[in-house]
């Protein structure tokens, strides 16, 4: 099974990383979306496990979280879905959720199952460097990557975070929460340079990327682009008919990233 | 383990975007907390602006009526803005100003912390924006107008359950959006380090005064100190200087809502379990998958699914007891104190009064109880009238 870093080993070394919320609008659609996105050129997929109070998300993904939970999705049902996906598709995947979802399930149990069902990593936006050990102890024990995030406010913290990072480094492009933005003003190139000075590890940029131009621009300055809210918006608009529309969008974005 | 731990509780579980902001706050606080000039300014604000020290009032009628322990009320309701929240708002806004911040944001449940923050922001010349759940803006409409009158912008939060937890989430989101000129004035002893410590220290003026006042009046320490607990700021303030006095029982009163055996409750210690939320490890009301529960209490100020990490620790080590008081018991106490003592307590504080009413008659007359009246009840009058079936609106 491929690992997280394999996502950054295609022809130009750049990864397109889409995010979707599991169970939005249903787990069946989520499964179909994974196949469609893998087929359309995604290199790594972030599977969101919904949380009741996602404090790092803007309104679009908040709504997806709420709707998915109202639909009855649970961590165990998502694990079952991943097992089904792994019979058909080996694209690298990481879970993206909040500390309490993992902690309350039992951190070791959560990580162990994640590994067993074929997940490659875990992103927890409310776990900064200072708190990562209680999670990374287990991700390292079972061999999945706990992805570290850096932000425009990180400054001198970037070196410390990068040195201890696994898989890839998630560069948060802007202040604020997730959501589409008209432009990204942060000096991404400078952030990536600081990471690379500390460790030879891929960097992917997320938060605010919604079109092929920005995706290509971010991929030029780093090793990949992460897109969430723009995809969730398409799912919200087309509901159960969203799969071909998401496929089309992901193909366009992935092509832009792969020719950056 | 990271900074700011109370036993296993506390910590800094927040997005990376905010980490340098809390580190900067921690450094500034550690500098100013022992700075004589800062403390002189804060004391002047407490005394000359907020009307401290607050009275330690002997509730003679209540004591005689209940026929047991002697009851004192720590009258935080007599502070400027009518609640203990001003103690923390003054401290944090002064600190923010020293740090060069020009804008403060805050969450509010009942509206008391929002009003206190808006008040101090107006006085100190800071821009102010308040986040309040939609449900709370409806049940505490007067406080919304009060904040606007004080020059604050009030954001109605519609996400989630539209109550205090959602207001906290939204204030945190806003802080990640604008950090350099903005300080987030958290209203309770919760959130990521250093907030639980900062809020506790600014509220500890309550127990410092109680200790001095009870020594003057009785020549000895009380047998019990009772306070209501949502996030727990008035309780930790009331407990703090008694923690080492092992003969003083410390009792926090949680909001049981319709009862701790129902889903309509906000009693975190009595019904919750260990979790990580809003920047801290502590106890939370949640389901088996760690989804935060939609809690309920008649009191908007106690309607929160978590509790400050220091309370979680005091519970773990058995130093403080946390009891659950239902809506019915709190409303009875609200009416009782109004009629018997001529003091209308906040519905939050009425939870503490209710527990005093339970235990005082069983205690001998030489025992002493101090109940912290965290706030005044004017804001609750319309809601209590509706609870009793009268069609009265603000």
């Amino acid at each position: 099974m491929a690992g997280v870093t394999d996502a950054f080993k295609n022809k130009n070394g750049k990864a397109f990383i889409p995010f979707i919320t599991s169970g939005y609008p249903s787990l069946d659609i989520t499964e179909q979306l994974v196949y469609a996105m893998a087929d359309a050129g995604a290199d790594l997929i972030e599977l969101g496990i919904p949380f009741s109070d996602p404090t790092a998300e803007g309104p679009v993904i908040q709504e997806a979280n709420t709707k998915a939970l109202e639909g009855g999705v649970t961590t165990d049902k998502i694990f079952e879905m991943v097992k089904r996906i792994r019979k058909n598709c080996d694209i690298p995947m990481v879970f993206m959720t909040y500390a309490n979802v993992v902690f309350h399930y039992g951190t070791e149990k959560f990580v162990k199952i994640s590994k067993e069902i074929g997940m490659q990593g875990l992103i927890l936006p409310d776990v900064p460097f200072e708190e990562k050990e209680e999670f990374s102890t287990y991700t390292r024990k079972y061999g999945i990557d706990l992805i570290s995030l850096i932000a425009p406010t990180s400054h001198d913290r970037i070196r410390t975070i990068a040195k201890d990072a696994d898989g890839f480094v998630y560069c948060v492009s802007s202040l604020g929460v997730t959501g589409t933005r008209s432009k990204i003003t942060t000096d991404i190139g400078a952030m990536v340079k600081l990471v690379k000075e500390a460790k030879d590890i891929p960097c992917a940029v997320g938060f605010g990327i919604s079109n092929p131009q920005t995706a290509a621009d971010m991929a030029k300055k780093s090793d990949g682009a992460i897109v969430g809210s723009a995809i969730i918006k398409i799912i919200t608009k087309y509901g159960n008919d969203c799969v071909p529309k998401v496929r089309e969008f992901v193909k366009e974005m992935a092509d832009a990233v792969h020719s950056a | 383990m990271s900074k700011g731990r109370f036993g296993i509780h506390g910590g800094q579980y927040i997005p990376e975007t905010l980490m340098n902001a809390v580190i900067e706050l921690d450094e500034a606080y550690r500098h100013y907390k022992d700075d004589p000039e800062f403390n002189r300014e804060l004391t002047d604000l407490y005394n000359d602006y907020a009307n401290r020290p607050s009275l330690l009032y002997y509730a003679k009628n209540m004591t005689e009526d209940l026929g047991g322990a002697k009851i004192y009320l720590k009258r935080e309701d007599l502070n400027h803005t009518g609640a203990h929240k001003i103690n923390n708002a003054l401290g944090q806004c002064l600190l923010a100003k020293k740090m060069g911040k020009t804008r403060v944001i805050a969450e509010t449940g009942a509206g008391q912390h929002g009003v206190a923050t808006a008040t101090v922001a107006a006085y100190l010349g800071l821009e102010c924006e308040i986040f309040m759940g939609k449900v709370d803006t409806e049940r505490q409409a007067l406080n919304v107008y009060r904040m606007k009158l004080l020059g604050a912008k009030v954001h109605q939060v519609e996400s989630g359950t539209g109550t205090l937890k959602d207001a906290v989430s939204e204030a945190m989101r806003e802080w990640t959006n604008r950090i350099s000129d903005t300080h987030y004035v958290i209203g309770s002893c919760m959130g990521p380090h250093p907030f639980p410590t900062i809020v506790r220290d600014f509220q500890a003026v309550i127990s410092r005064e109680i200790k001095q006042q009870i020594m003057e009046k009785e020549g000895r320490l009380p047998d019990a100190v009772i306070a209501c607990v949502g996030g727990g700021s008035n309780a930790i303030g009331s407990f703090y200087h008694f923690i080492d006095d092992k003969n003083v029982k410390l009792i926090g009163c949680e909001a049981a809502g319709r009862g701790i055996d129902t889903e309509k409750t906000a009693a975190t210690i009595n019904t919750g379990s260990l979790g990580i939320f809003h920047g801290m490890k502590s106890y939370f009301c949640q389901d088996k998958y760690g989804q935060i529960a939609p809690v309920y209490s008649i009191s908007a100020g106690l309607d929160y699914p978590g509790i400050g990490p220091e309370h979680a620790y005091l519970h773990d080590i058995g130093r403080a007891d946390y009891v659950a008081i239902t809506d019915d018991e709190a409303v009875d106490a609200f009416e009782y104190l109004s009629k018997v003592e001529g003091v209308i307590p906040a519905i939050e504080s009425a939870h503490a009064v209710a527990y005093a009413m339970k235990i005082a008659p069983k205690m001998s007359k030489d025992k002493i109880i101090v109940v912290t009246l965290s706030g005044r009840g004017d804001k609750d009058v319309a809601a209590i009238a509706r609870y009793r079936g009268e069609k009265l609106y603000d």
Side-chain angles (χ1 to χ4, degrees):
Chain A
M1 178 84 53
V4 165
T5 47
D6 293 310
F8 299 87
K9 286 176 184 162
N10 65 41
K11 59 184 185 305
N12 73 341
K14 311 284 184 183
F16 177 65
I17 306 171
F19 163 89
I20 52 172
T21 300
S22 303
Y24 182 66
S26 68
L27 284 175
D28 183 43
I29 300 283
T30 302
E31 187 178 341
Q32 292 177 44
L33 284 170
V34 169
Y35 302 143
M37 294 193 300
D39 191 48
D43 299 287
L44 173 70
I45 291 173
E46 264 187 47
L47 270 187
I49 300 180
F51 180 50
S52 53
D53 302 81
T55 48
E57 313 296 349
V60 173
I61 298 179
Q62 276 180 50
E63 167 94 0
N65 277 258
T66 307
K67 289 272 166 66
L69 289 171
E70 281 169 5
V73 74
T74 65
T75 307
D76 284 326
K77 288 180 186 172
I78 293 167
F79 287 157
E80 291 305 314
M81 175 193 71
V82 171
K83 282 187 203 164
R84 290 196 296 275
I85 290 172
R86 280 298 178 232
K87 287 177 187 154
N88 304 306
C89 179
D90 65 356
I91 186 169
M93 295 199 292
V94 297
F95 279 133
M96 142 73 216
T97 189
Y98 286 77
N100 201 45
V101 170
V102 176
F103 176 77
H104 199 71
Y105 194 87
T107 303
E108 179 161 16
K109 188 176 154 203
F110 182 99
V111 170
K112 186 169 181 278
I113 293 175
S114 297
K115 175 68 184 179
E116 282 167 4
I117 61 178
M119 294 299 291
Q120 281 73 38
L122 176 62
I123 305 176
L124 299 171
D126 56 347
V127 175
F129 179 77
E130 280 76 357
E131 304 293 353
K132 71 177 275 190
E133 199 184 330
E134 78 179 278
F135 298 93
S136 65
T137 300
Y138 297 110
T139 54
R140 284 172 183 167
K141 177 176 172 187
Y142 291 98
I144 66 170
D145 292 324
L146 179 66
I147 305 304
S148 296
L149 292 92
I150 58 170
T153 49
S154 296
H155 309 297
D156 52 347
R157 294 169 53 80
I158 292 179
R159 174 174 296 275
T160 316
I161 295 168
K163 267 187 186 163
D164 195 50
D166 295 325
F168 72 95
V169 170
Y170 189 133
C171 300
V172 175
S173 75
S174 319
L175 294 180
V177 292
T178 58
T180 55
R181 286 169 174 80
S182 54
K183 62 178 179 189
I184 290 166
T185 55
T186 307
D187 187 349
I188 300 296
M191 284 170 76
V192 172
K193 187 164 173 280
L194 282 172
V195 171
K196 304 279 185 182
E197 280 169 13
K199 188 172 188 173
D200 181 20
I201 187 170
C203 296
V205 183
F207 280 43
I209 303 172
S210 59
N211 59 57
Q213 294 74 24
T214 318
D217 184 35
M218 289 301 125
K220 270 185 201 138
K221 293 171 178 163
S222 69
D223 305 301
I226 304 166
V227 174
S229 296
I231 294 171
I232 300 295
K233 274 185 180 171
I234 296 171
I235 298 173
T236 301
K237 187 172 175 188
Y238 295 100
N240 290 334
D241 303 321
C242 68
V243 179
K245 301 289 180 187
V246 171
R247 176 199 294 268
E248 201 178 305
F249 179 72
V250 167
K251 178 154 192 346
E252 211 184 338
M253 297 292 276
D255 288 350
V257 166
H258 292 147
S259 51
Chain B
M1 214 175 261
S2 69
K3 279 185 177 173
R5 293 284 172 169
F6 303 91
I8 59 167
H9 305 283
Q12 294 178 303
Y13 300 88
I14 48 170
E16 170 60 22
T17 307
L18 290 175
M19 276 309 298
N20 265 328
V22 298
I23 291 168
E24 179 198 10
L25 177 63
D26 191 29
E27 283 166 2
Y29 181 63
R30 278 190 285 145
H31 171 75
Y32 285 110
K33 80 184 174 78
D34 300 317
D35 177 50
E37 172 70 15
F38 179 84
N39 283 297
R40 192 185 54 75
E41 277 181 65
L42 183 60
T43 303
D44 286 350
L45 286 168
Y46 277 175
N47 295 348
D48 301 335
Y49 189 69
N51 197 30
R52 302 209 70 88
S54 69
L55 292 179
L56 183 68
Y57 161 85
Y58 171 48
K60 184 166 172 284
N61 297 348
M62 189 178 170
T63 300
E64 284 172 5
D65 183 62
L66 295 172
K70 207 167 176 182
I71 298 168
Y72 282 90
L73 303 177
K74 179 58 175 168
R75 300 288 306 274
E76 293 297 301
D77 60 315
L78 297 177
N79 295 342
H80 180 38
T81 72
H84 71 292
K85 294 290 187 190
I86 194 86
N87 306 331
N88 171 48
L90 281 168
Q92 283 201 51
C93 288
L94 187 63
L95 183 62
K97 201 149 176 164
K98 298 281 179 194
M99 291 171 71
K101 307 288 180 184
T102 55
R103 175 177 177 258
V104 289
I105 55 172
E107 84 293 344
T108 196
Q112 294 306 96
H113 175 58
V115 167
T117 305
T119 298
V120 179
Y123 180 72
L124 294 178
L126 296 161
E127 195 187 329
C128 179
E129 294 185 31
I130 304 293
F131 295 82
M132 187 169 184
K134 186 173 187 290
V135 173
D136 292 338
T137 60
E138 285 157 9
R139 57 181 169 177
Q140 298 287 352
L142 264 182
N143 269 342
V144 175
Y145 192 75
R146 206 166 272 143
M147 289 183 268
K148 289 181 182 164
L149 202 58
L150 292 159
K153 188 173 174 191
V154 181
H155 300 272
Q156 186 171 290
V157 178
E158 299 196 14
S159 60
T161 51
T163 60
L164 181 53
K165 83 172 165 78
D166 309 292
V168 173
S169 296
E170 209 52 40
M172 281 184 167
R173 290 183 184 113
E174 174 56 24
W175 203 24
T176 62
N177 203 33
R178 193 168 152 186
I179 300 168
S180 61
D181 67 345
T182 300
H183 174 69
Y184 174 19
V185 184
I186 285 190
S188 194
C189 52
M190 48 157 290
H193 174 75
F195 284 106
T197 300
I198 290 181
V199 177
R200 176 253 278 155
D201 288 352
F202 289 142
Q203 293 294 359
V205 66
I206 301 173
S207 51
R208 195 158 60 232
E209 288 177 7
I210 294 174
K211 213 165 184 177
Q212 197 181 345
Q213 290 164 323
I214 200 77
M215 288 307 289
E216 280 165 16
K217 288 174 192 290
E218 296 283 346
R220 71 173 185 91
L221 296 181
D223 297 287
V225 176
I226 305 176
C228 64
V229 182
S233 71
N234 93 83
I236 204 70
S238 303
F239 294 171
Y240 186 64
H241 288 285
F242 293 109
I243 290 175
D244 291 334
D245 301 309
K246 301 285 192 265
N247 293 327
V248 180
K249 280 195 78 163
L250 305 175
I251 303 164
C253 301
E254 299 192 313
R258 305 262 164 80
I260 55 172
D261 48 354
T262 73
E263 284 186 0
K264 294 271 183 191
T265 181
T268 309
I269 295 273
N270 283 278
T271 67
S273 53
L274 193 61
I276 296 170
F277 184 49
H278 280 159
M280 59 185 171
K281 186 176 282 180
S282 187
Y283 294 107
F284 297 95
C285 299
Q286 54 187 324
D287 73 9
K288 69 178 268 214
Y289 289 105
Q291 306 293 347
I292 303 302
V295 293
Y296 163 81
S297 161
I298 188 173
S299 146
L302 304 182
D303 198 354
Y304 182 71
I307 187 166
E310 194 163 5
H311 285 295
Y313 174 64
L314 292 176
H315 166 73
D316 284 355
I317 62 170
R319 178 63 191 94
D321 292 331
Y322 295 86
V323 299
I325 299 294
T326 64
D327 283 1
D328 283 344
E329 291 169 326
V331 170
D332 286 347
F334 180 92
E335 292 170 342
Y336 176 85
L337 197 69
S338 304
K339 288 197 180 96
V340 172
E341 210 61 56
V343 174
I344 304 177
I347 189 64
E348 289 78 17
S349 320
H351 287 71
V353 175
Y355 194 67
M357 289 164 64
K358 282 189 187 179
I359 63 167
K362 296 178 204 155
M363 294 166 73
S364 63
K365 290 186 179 183
D366 59 345
K367 299 288 184 190
I368 301 168
I369 297 175
V370 174
V371 181
T372 298
L373 275 200
S374 56
R376 55 189 291 160
D378 305 54
K379 67 178 177 58
D380 301 307
V381 170
I384 300 301
R386 292 196 293 275
Y387 188 81
R388 290 299 190 210
E390 290 188 39
K391 289 185 170 46
L392 181 64
Y393 291 89
D394 287 332

